[in-house]
Amino acid sequence: VKKKRFNRIRTEFYNENGEKRVCYLKAQDARSFQHECDHLDGILMTDNVKWNDDNSIIYVDEFLRRQQILKPQIEELIAKFGPSQQNELYQIYDPLHPPCDEELVDILESILKKKDEQQQQMIEQDAQAIQYEM
Protein backbone atom coordinates (compact mmCIF):
# COMPACT_ATOMS: atom_id res chain seq x y z
CA VAL A 1 0.00 0.00 0.00
CA LYS A 2 1.38 3.39 -0.97
CA LYS A 3 1.02 6.01 1.73
CA LYS A 4 2.50 9.50 1.82
CA ARG A 5 4.83 10.00 4.78
CA PHE A 6 7.19 12.76 5.83
CA ASN A 7 10.88 11.95 5.23
CA ARG A 8 11.98 14.03 8.22
CA ILE A 9 10.10 14.46 11.47
CA ARG A 10 10.53 15.98 14.91
CA THR A 11 8.79 14.14 17.72
CA GLU A 12 8.33 14.80 21.42
CA PHE A 13 7.69 12.03 23.91
CA TYR A 14 8.19 11.04 27.53
CA ASN A 15 10.62 8.27 28.40
CA GLU A 16 10.08 5.55 31.02
CA ASN A 17 11.25 7.98 33.76
CA GLY A 18 8.68 10.61 32.76
CA GLU A 19 11.31 12.89 31.22
CA LYS A 20 10.36 14.80 28.09
CA ARG A 21 12.50 13.98 25.05
CA VAL A 22 12.77 15.45 21.57
CA CYS A 23 13.90 13.28 18.71
CA TYR A 24 14.61 14.05 15.05
CA LEU A 25 14.16 11.18 12.61
CA LYS A 26 14.77 10.89 8.88
CA ALA A 27 14.39 8.47 6.00
CA GLN A 28 13.19 4.96 6.92
CA ASP A 29 13.25 5.73 10.66
CA ALA A 30 10.82 8.63 10.17
CA ARG A 31 8.49 6.58 8.01
CA SER A 32 8.55 3.62 10.42
CA PHE A 33 7.85 5.88 13.40
CA GLN A 34 4.82 7.39 11.66
CA HIS A 35 3.60 3.90 10.76
CA GLU A 36 3.83 2.77 14.38
CA CYS A 37 2.07 5.95 15.59
CA ASP A 38 -0.78 5.08 13.23
CA HIS A 39 -1.07 1.70 14.99
CA LEU A 40 -1.19 3.42 18.39
CA ASP A 41 -4.05 5.52 17.02
CA GLY A 42 -5.83 2.36 15.82
CA ILE A 43 -5.13 3.03 12.14
CA LEU A 44 -4.08 0.29 9.73
CA MET A 45 -2.37 0.87 6.38
CA THR A 46 -5.42 -0.55 4.62
CA ASP A 47 -7.98 1.68 6.39
CA ASN A 48 -7.88 4.54 3.89
CA VAL A 49 -7.12 2.56 0.75
CA LYS A 50 -9.27 3.14 -2.30
CA TRP A 51 -9.57 -0.48 -3.35
CA ASN A 52 -10.72 0.43 -6.85
CA ASP A 53 -7.71 2.73 -7.44
CA ASP A 54 -4.86 0.87 -9.15
CA ASN A 55 -2.34 3.46 -7.89
CA SER A 56 -3.05 2.81 -4.21
CA ILE A 57 -2.04 -0.84 -4.05
CA ILE A 58 0.82 -2.66 -5.72
CA TYR A 59 1.92 -6.22 -5.21
CA VAL A 60 5.36 -7.12 -3.90
CA ASP A 61 6.69 -8.33 -7.25
CA GLU A 62 5.65 -5.04 -8.91
CA PHE A 63 7.13 -3.04 -6.02
CA LEU A 64 10.47 -4.85 -6.41
CA ARG A 65 10.38 -4.46 -10.21
CA ARG A 66 9.87 -0.71 -9.87
CA GLN A 67 12.67 -0.46 -7.32
CA GLN A 68 15.07 -2.20 -9.72
CA ILE A 69 14.20 0.28 -12.46
CA LEU A 70 14.30 3.42 -10.31
CA LYS A 71 17.35 2.72 -8.13
CA PRO A 72 19.91 3.23 -10.95
CA GLN A 73 18.05 6.33 -12.17
CA ILE A 74 18.08 7.86 -8.70
CA GLU A 75 21.73 7.04 -8.06
CA GLU A 76 22.69 8.46 -11.46
CA LEU A 77 20.89 11.71 -10.61
CA ILE A 78 22.49 11.88 -7.15
CA ALA A 79 25.93 11.46 -8.78
CA LYS A 80 25.35 14.77 -10.62
CA PHE A 81 25.39 16.67 -7.31
CA GLY A 82 28.48 17.79 -5.41
CA PRO A 83 29.85 15.62 -2.55
CA SER A 84 28.26 17.61 0.29
CA GLN A 85 24.88 17.62 -1.49
CA GLN A 86 25.23 13.88 -2.12
CA ASN A 87 25.73 13.31 1.62
CA GLU A 88 22.54 15.25 2.34
CA LEU A 89 20.61 13.32 -0.30
CA TYR A 90 21.80 9.96 1.04
CA GLN A 91 20.47 10.99 4.45
CA ILE A 92 16.94 11.00 3.01
CA TYR A 93 17.38 8.38 0.26
CA ASP A 94 18.03 4.88 1.54
CA PRO A 95 19.60 2.74 -1.23
CA LEU A 96 18.61 -0.42 0.66
CA HIS A 97 14.95 0.67 0.54
CA PRO A 98 14.56 2.74 -2.63
CA PRO A 99 11.14 4.15 -3.43
CA CYS A 100 8.93 2.36 -5.92
CA ASP A 101 7.47 5.45 -7.58
CA GLU A 102 8.88 8.25 -9.67
CA GLU A 103 8.37 11.02 -7.10
CA LEU A 104 12.02 11.15 -5.98
CA VAL A 105 13.24 11.02 -9.60
CA ASP A 106 10.97 13.97 -10.44
CA ILE A 107 12.22 15.94 -7.42
CA LEU A 108 15.89 15.34 -8.24
CA GLU A 109 15.39 16.21 -11.91
CA SER A 110 13.61 19.42 -10.88
CA ILE A 111 16.45 20.41 -8.54
CA LEU A 112 19.06 19.71 -11.24
CA LYS A 113 17.07 21.73 -13.79
CA LYS A 114 16.95 24.71 -11.42
CA LYS A 115 20.67 24.31 -10.74
CA ASP A 116 21.41 24.31 -14.49
CA GLU A 117 19.20 27.38 -15.00
CA GLN A 118 21.03 29.23 -12.22
CA GLN A 119 24.41 28.34 -13.72
CA GLN A 120 23.24 29.53 -17.14
CA GLN A 121 22.06 32.84 -15.63
CA MET A 122 25.45 33.31 -13.96
CA ILE A 123 27.23 32.67 -17.26
CA GLU A 124 24.99 35.19 -19.02
CA GLN A 125 25.55 37.77 -16.27
CA ASP A 126 29.31 37.27 -16.50
CA ALA A 127 29.17 37.67 -20.28
CA GLN A 128 27.16 40.90 -19.92
CA ALA A 129 29.62 42.21 -17.32
CA ILE A 130 32.56 41.52 -19.65
CA GLN A 131 30.81 43.25 -22.54
CA TYR A 132 30.04 46.22 -20.29
CA GLU A 133 33.70 46.51 -19.26
CA MET A 134 34.79 46.63 -22.91
Side-chain angles (χ1 to χ4, degrees), residues 26-81:
K26 59 188 173 199
Q28 190 64 32
D29 292 336
R31 290 187 293 277
S32 296
F33 187 88
Q34 292 167 84
H35 172 85
E36 296 307 324
C37 285
D38 281 349
H39 286 308
L40 292 173
D41 292 334
I43 300 169
L44 300 177
M45 291 278 296
T46 56
D47 284 351
N48 297 317
V49 171
K50 297 175 185 165
W51 292 97
N52 58 351
D53 180 4
D54 289 340
N55 292 324
S56 292
I57 301 171
I58 58 173
Y59 294 97
V60 173
D61 56 341
E62 175 63 10
F63 180 87
L64 296 173
R65 186 188 73 77
R66 290 182 187 186
Q67 282 185 326
Q68 287 179 334
I69 292 169
L70 292 172
K71 184 177 179 181
Q73 290 177 347
I74 292 169
E75 292 184 353
E76 181 182 328
L77 289 168
I78 289 175
K80 294 179 180 181
F81 288 88

Side-chain angles (χ1 to χ4, degrees), residues 1 4 6 8 13 15-17 23 31 46-47 62-63 65 74 85 90 96 103 108 111-112 117 127 131:
V1 176
K4 293 239 181 218
F6 293 101
R8 292 180 183 212
F13 59 92
N15 68 13
E16 64 277 4
N17 299 320
C23 185
R31 290 187 293 277
T46 56
D47 284 351
E62 175 63 10
F63 180 87
R65 186 188 73 77
I74 292 169
Q85 291 170 318
Y90 276 115
L96 297 177
E103 184 177 7
L108 292 173
I111 292 169
L112 285 169
E117 288 170 356
Q131 286 178 348

Side-chain angles (χ1 to χ4, degrees), residues 114 116-127:
K114 287 179 186 174
D116 289 344
E117 288 170 356
Q118 289 172 344
Q119 286 178 337
Q120 186 62 35
Q121 285 178 342
M122 289 175 60
I123 291 169
E124 290 171 5
Q125 289 172 352
D126 289 346

